[in-house]
Amino acid sequence: MKAAGHKHYRSGSYLLIGFASLLLLAALLTDPQGYMQSPLLMLGAAGFISGFFLFALSGDEGVDARLASYLSLQGISALSRIIHDHGGCGTAIFLPPDGKDGKVMQFIPMHPNRGSSQGDGAGFACHNGSFGTLNSPLAGPILEELKYDNDLVLPSEYSLLMGAIREVCEDLLLIARRVDIKKEEGLIIISLNNYILFPGCASRSEATPESCVLCPCSICSLIACMIAEGLRCEVSLNRVVLDDTKQSLTMEISYASKDGAKVVPTPEVHPGQPV
């Protein structure tokens, strides 16, 4: 894996933000009444958030850590509220790529008695008997950028994959001074020490703690995507613990993983109807 120049991040951020604008415009034009449920809205939001995040990393000089922490979460809280208001509940599940050229997808369970019955239902699916939406994860664009510019490879062997996660967090994105990883009771626990985005995560967790597992931020999403693609398994956030009592600000993320189950698209099914 190689470290790319900051100018590549700047170019990537412009492309992501521009592409996100087109997706949002397409969502409005194709379904003015039900655009809030359009998968294009989710993809557009993901593009905006990833673009702003890459922009924060693209400068020749360092970015203020506190400012960067809030910048990285721009739009995520609003997106989480939209998901919740439309019936999103429980824990988002990151699904491994379907085939060699596939990409990680994110399944968000939805409450069967909530949500609008309007729209064409595109993006809805069934997974393990649960009804929900199937979308590209927030970290999808960042992961592709790392593969393209930094030759990121996600090994299928656990120890090598954990080494890749450390390198991304410590050396490429520079979001943590040290990354500790351990397995405990079936969970993969990743601790980001001296985590530069701690203030923004603490603010979000204090306001809506359940949103961290329903709509993971870019960093939690990125690590989940790497695990899902590398180990070819389903991944979900079990819990997120923020610790400011030590000398270094630490975020501990616990991921649960299991073998993937089949996801069945349901293009004609709407929330509130039996699956």
Side-chain angles (χ1 to χ4, degrees):
M1 201 185 313
K2 64 181 181 180
H6 291 299
K7 62 181 181 180
H8 293 124
Y9 290 124
R10 179 64 61 88
S11 300
S13 69
Y14 291 152
L15 290 173
L16 284 173
I17 293 173
F19 184 60
S21 302
L22 293 177
L23 288 174
L24 294 176
L25 180 61
L28 288 170
L29 293 178
T30 55
D31 190 0
Q33 301 299 323
Y35 72 94
M36 293 293 286
Q37 295 188 62
S38 172
L40 296 177
L41 179 67
M42 290 284 291
L43 291 172
F48 263 119
I49 294 167
S50 300
F52 281 125
F53 184 78
L54 289 178
F55 185 84
L57 297 173
S58 64
D60 295 328
E61 298 181 356
V63 179
D64 179 80
R66 187 174 183 84
L67 176 61
S69 70
Y70 287 106
L71 181 62
S72 69
L73 293 176
Q74 290 298 302
I76 295 181
S77 295
L79 179 60
S80 178
R81 285 194 297 270
I82 291 173
I83 293 173
H84 182 269
D85 291 344
H86 283 80
C89 61
T91 302
I93 302 172
F94 294 82
L95 305 172
D98 184 13
K100 182 179 178 181
D101 297 325
K103 296 181 180 180
V104 175
M105 296 296 289
Q106 179 176 293
F107 177 81
I108 300 177
M110 298 188 70
H111 196 284
N113 297 322
R114 294 183 62 185
S116 172
S117 60
Q118 298 178 352
D120 60 4
F124 291 111
C126 275
H127 175 62
N128 281 346
S130 298
F131 177 79
T133 61
L134 191 63
N135 304 284
S136 177
L138 284 178
I142 300 176
L143 183 58
E144 293 305 310
E145 183 82 8
L146 290 171
K147 289 178 181 178
Y148 180 79
D149 271 349
N150 302 95
D151 295 335
L152 174 64
V153 176
L154 301 176
S156 59
E157 184 179 333
Y158 175 82
S159 60
L160 296 179
L161 178 63
M162 296 304 110
I165 291 175
R166 283 193 184 94
E167 187 172 355
V168 166
C169 295
E170 294 178 355
D171 301 328
L172 295 182
L173 298 183
L174 304 175
I175 57 170
R177 181 171 299 175
R178 190 183 78 253
V179 178
D180 297 324
I181 303 176
K182 62 181 179 179
K183 293 189 75 174
E184 186 176 285
E185 298 179 354
L187 298 175
I188 300 174
I189 302 176
I190 298 178
S191 298
L192 305 178
N193 299 283
N194 274 8
Y195 183 48
I196 66 169
L197 305 180
F198 187 95
C201 288
S203 175
R204 182 190 181 200
S205 178
E206 182 179 355
T208 53
E210 69 281 354
S211 68
C212 289
V213 296
L214 176 63
C215 182
C217 69
S218 300
I219 296 302
C220 291
S221 175
L222 175 61
I223 297 175
C225 287
M226 294 177 70
I227 296 174
E229 182 168 336
L231 300 183
R232 296 283 167 168
C233 64
E234 292 182 7
V235 178
S236 58
L237 267 70
N238 182 269
R239 66 177 181 270
V240 177
V241 178
L242 299 164
D243 186 0
D244 60 356
T245 61
K246 302 176 182 178
Q247 288 185 341
S248 65
L249 300 176
T250 302
M251 182 169 75
E252 181 183 276
I253 319 164
S254 299
Y255 294 96
S257 62
K258 65 177 182 179
D259 293 337
K262 188 175 182 181
V263 178
V264 182
T266 58
E268 299 301 328
V269 177
H270 306 284
Q273 295 182 351
V275 177

